[in-house]
Each structure stands twice: as C-alpha cells, then as structure tokens.
Amino acid sequence: MDTPLTPSASTLPFRLKFRQLVLLDALGDSLSLRKAAALANLTQPAATRAMAELESAFGVQLFERSHRGMAPTVYGEALVRHARQVLFDVQRAHDEIQALRSGSHGFVRVGALLSSAVRMLPMAIGEVKRQFPRMRISVEQHPQLPLISKLREGSLDMVLCRLVTNSVDAESLDQVVLFDDDFVLVAGRNHRLARSKSLAMADLVDEPWVLPHAGGPLYDHVCALFLTQVGRLPANVVESTTSLVTNLMLIEHYGFLNFMQRSVAQTYTKRGVLRIMPISLGSPIGPHVVAVRRDTSHPPAVDALLKALQQVTAAAPEHD
C-alpha cells in the first residue's frame, strides 16, 4: 500500500544495505521468504525486517503475501530489476579489477544471436585477441528477447542482435548497425532440387520443412509467402529456431528445406554442407546491431571489442 509521503531519493543510500539487494534478487526468483532468507544468509525474522525496511524506504508495498508465497507488485518487479542491475555492476567491477590485477586488458561478457556468433563475432574476437592476448571474453548465445533482458539487467556487457525497436528497450540502449542479412532458401547438397535454377513456392510446399516457431515475425512472413503464392501451408513441418545442429541434420540427411540467414548459409555452403537456392525472403526482421547499455560507462575491454566489431564489419565484403 502506498504511504502518503514519498521518501526522498537523497536518503536512500543511507537506508539501503547490500544484503537487502541480495534478498530482493533471491525473492524475485523463489517467491518464498524462507528460501530467499536462506540464500541471503539471513534468519527469517531478519529477512522480514529487511523487507519492512525496504518498503518503508521506498514508501510502497513491494510484495503481496499469501498462502502460496510472495508475489511482487509492480513496484517490487521494478525494484528487483534494479537490485539485480546493481549486483551485476558490482560483480562486473570485481571481475574487471581481478582481470586488471592479473595483467589482462579486462573482461567483457558478450551475448549473440546465432548468425553473429557464426561469423562476425569470432572474427572480432580474433582481432582483439591479437592485440590483447590476456583479455578475458565470455560468449553466450541466446534468442533476441533473453539477450536484451540480460543486457538491461547487467549480466551481459554487450549483445549482437537484431535492431531493437521496442521503445522501452530502445531508449535504454545505444545501438550501432553492423550489417543486414536476408533469409535464403537452403537445402542439402544432395537434395533433388538443390541444383534448380528457378523455383516456385508451389514446387516446395509438399517438401518437409524446418520453420521458425509460430507467432514470430519470421514465421508470419514465411506463412504469408506460402498462402499468397500457393494458397496453403506445408504439412510436413518441424518448428525449430535456435538449434543449428538439429536443423543442419534435418536439412543435410533427411531432405528438409529451411529459410536460413544468408551469412550462416554461406558459411555452410563453403563447407559443402548446404546449397543456397534461388528464393529469398528479404530481411523481414531488421538489421544486425551491436547494443550496449546507455546508462553505464564502458570498460576498456568493451570499447576494444566494439571497435573490432565495427572494423571487421567495415572490412567484410557485401553479402552475395
């Protein structure tokens, strides 16, 4: 419940304790005060007092108590998110200091979509490592939404993703466009249609397909193509977006077709695994960008990798 008086922000640094932030982080995951208290190394009465102090400090109810546990209010969700950001920033400071103490150029945590992880990111990392062999680099691969979430909360320093257009997320990020990438039709090198010079969607609708998961913009774009040109959707379908290994096995060994990002498809075409066929979707989900948080300073390691990414992109030939 809101109190009549709004607490002054100037007093908060003197009222907040790090253990309260740890408690908030744990409570946001467990929704159980008993479990969160144990994770924060507090007794349950001490955790109860800590929550009361937090609610008093901010003047709002942070969690709603019930027999099922504790559910965050809208205020609680906001404070948990900011608490995690503070904790991640402290961890980042620790990691950077330890890296500098060890004689390296620092530490950077990178998240990437599959297409960036296949081509541009390894090239940029290779260039940075030539200059700073002892720089520590951590790489994670995730879909778009988890990447943006991890960047905003501070568990990643930078991400390579598609252009972020959601206004709430976009306003908190600095984005630099790296390259655009269309989606091309691919088949296994021995597929009966692999050497076709021209194709129509009607030639392909009865083939087995690997399609994106339903509900996303790419899936909608593929469906629109089939419905407008053929009048029906393929019946033999596997929905798979993030598992490249699975997709490649289905394409190469079981005759499935797939719309794949050109940069990824070119990599596997050069290896003799796939063939790019004469149908393209264009670029329905926007260009690739590198994004960092706008509200934080960037350590030298992040700046070095950002510079390398831009140099690698500028030097790369245009996609065929």
Side-chain angles (χ1 to χ4, degrees):
M1 180 180 300
D2 296 4
T3 60
L5 298 177
T6 301
S8 170
S10 63
T11 67
L12 286 177
F14 303 99
R15 302 182 67 178
L16 297 181
K17 304 178 182 68
F18 262 91
R19 188 162 291 184
Q20 292 170 326
L21 303 184
V22 174
L23 180 66
L24 276 171
D25 180 26
L27 191 52
D29 283 333
S30 69
L31 305 182
S32 163
L33 188 62
R34 177 182 58 80
K35 293 179 181 177
L39 290 170
N41 200 24
L42 292 168
T43 65
Q44 192 159 339
T48 300
R49 287 195 300 272
M51 288 304 302
E53 290 167 357
L54 281 168
E55 292 184 327
S56 173
F58 285 93
V60 292
Q61 183 179 352
L62 298 173
F63 286 82
E64 294 178 340
R65 287 79 169 169
S66 73
H67 66 280
R68 292 177 295 180
M70 298 181 66
T73 64
V74 63
Y75 308 113
E77 289 177 349
L79 192 55
V80 166
R81 186 175 67 253
H82 286 288
R84 287 174 174 166
Q85 185 171 314
V86 171
L87 293 172
F88 279 125
D89 284 345
V90 171
Q91 181 63 49
R92 184 174 70 168
H94 172 271
D95 292 340
E96 185 178 344
I97 289 170
Q98 295 307 308
L100 292 170
R101 285 182 64 187
S102 70
S104 79
H105 191 69
F107 179 45
V108 58
R109 301 161 301 177
V110 189
L113 294 173
L114 170 65
S115 52
S116 300
V118 165
R119 185 172 183 182
M120 289 299 174
L121 183 56
M123 294 169 66
I125 289 174
E127 291 301 316
V128 165
K129 280 291 195 175
R130 283 186 186 141
Q131 300 176 62
F132 309 108
R134 299 185 67 181
M135 181 191 289
R136 292 178 56 207
I137 301 175
S138 169
V139 180
E140 301 177 19
Q141 183 186 315
H142 299 285
Q144 178 92 352
L145 292 181
L147 282 177
I148 303 309
S149 177
K150 285 175 172 287
L151 179 61
R152 289 194 64 191
E153 73 184 10
S155 60
L156 290 173
D157 298 311
M158 57 191 294
V159 299
L160 281 73
C161 60
R162 292 282 181 168
L163 182 69
V164 179
T165 56
N166 174 278
S167 59
V168 174
D169 290 332
E171 288 173 4
S172 67
L173 304 176
D174 285 326
Q175 304 182 74
V176 176
V177 174
L178 296 177
F179 65 96
D180 208 349
D181 205 7
D182 63 331
F183 282 77
V184 292
L185 180 65
V186 297
R189 60 184 176 178
N190 296 319
H191 193 284
R192 66 182 185 86
L193 298 174
R195 298 184 182 277
S196 300
K197 300 300 182 183
S198 64
L199 286 169
M201 296 305 292
D203 301 325
L204 308 171
V205 69
D206 292 320
E207 298 293 317
W209 279 86
V210 179
L211 294 183
H213 285 286
L218 186 57
Y219 177 86
D220 292 342
H221 200 79
V222 174
C223 287
L225 190 64
F226 275 113
L227 291 173
T228 55
Q229 296 194 16
V230 188
R232 61 187 175 94
L233 299 177
N236 187 355
V237 168
V238 173
E239 291 185 9
S240 174
T241 301
T242 58
S243 177
L244 179 61
V245 173
T246 299
N247 293 358
L248 286 173
M249 285 287 290
L250 291 172
I251 296 166
E252 184 179 10
H253 298 290
Y254 296 96
F256 280 70
L257 301 178
N258 177 231
F259 280 108
M260 185 177 289
Q261 293 169 94
R262 185 181 292 271
S263 57
V264 179
Q266 286 174 331
T267 297
Y268 288 94
T269 298
K270 290 174 182 176
R271 297 179 186 177
V273 175
L274 302 178
R275 285 192 178 274
I276 296 177
M277 302 169 74
I279 292 181
S280 170
L281 287 179
S283 179
I285 55 179
H288 290 262
V289 302
V290 57
V292 294
R293 278 166 50 194
R294 182 171 292 170
D295 61 352
T296 186
S297 60
H298 305 142
V302 172
D303 286 335
L305 189 54
L306 281 171
K307 182 179 179 181
L309 279 165
Q310 291 174 279
Q311 290 175 339
V312 163
T313 304
E318 292 295 318
H319 298 304
D320 296 336

